[in-house]
Amino acid sequence: MPPPDPIQIQHLTPIVEVWRAGTVSPQLPIRHGRHMERVYITGTDPVMIQLQFDPLVAGQIITVTASSGIILDPPPTTLAVQSTGDCAVTLSLRDGYTHGFVSFSCDGLQTTLPLSLATSAVVTANETANKGSSR
């Protein structure tokens, strides 16, 4: 199968938002190729990972893969891009783990999001840094 063209890559590359319960601003990690900047979470509290694709790829199937330190809730292995271009998964770090990753693959393009345990102050600082940001 030939590699996707640049326009297709743009459509299949999601904007990633990481939401904690009760917050008004997500963490918006910067993309470095198929990898994302590290995201910080507190304890084993769940976070929602919101992926925003171009609505032109609605219906595409996203394969979700997580490291052993991550709990997906519920444990999906696939997500479908909605008509608005978004899809989401909730996850948390397993008790005793300080880091892990989750990968999202669509049509051969993969986005990997590393997650690490951090203090509430570090997490809040990352969320605050995103206010007004348009990554």
Side-chain angles (χ1 to χ4, degrees):
M1 171 160 48
D5 67 45
I7 298 295
Q8 186 180 14
I9 290 171
Q10 184 178 352
H11 293 314
L12 295 172
T13 302
I15 295 170
V16 178
E17 297 181 347
V18 181
W19 290 90
R20 288 186 305 135
T23 60
V24 295
S25 297
Q27 288 184 65
L28 299 168
I30 296 172
R31 176 177 300 283
H32 302 284
R34 69 183 181 111
H35 294 276
M36 303 295 294
E37 198 174 68
R38 186 163 301 279
V39 169
Y40 298 99
I41 58 178
T42 58
T44 56
D45 295 338
V47 295
M48 181 183 71
I49 309 297
Q50 175 94 23
L51 304 173
Q52 184 65 50
F53 292 89
D54 187 307
L56 293 174
V57 300
Q60 286 281 347
I61 300 301
I62 310 302
T63 303
V64 182
T65 308
S67 67
S68 59
I70 300 292
I71 299 170
L72 297 172
D73 183 28
T77 55
T78 61
L79 302 170
V81 178
Q82 302 301 306
S83 62
T84 55
D86 66 316
C87 58
V89 64
T90 301
L91 59 80
S92 59
L93 278 174
R94 289 187 186 279
D95 194 28
Y97 282 79
T98 59
H99 62 278
F101 70 86
V102 61
S103 293
F104 304 96
S105 180
C106 182
D107 250 6
L109 293 175
Q110 185 173 353
T111 297
T112 300
L113 183 65
L115 299 109
S116 288
L117 184 64
T119 64
S120 294
V122 169
V123 175
T124 301
N126 275 280
E127 292 166 350
T128 302
N130 293 327
K131 287 183 181 176
S133 177
S134 58
R135 292 184 212 179

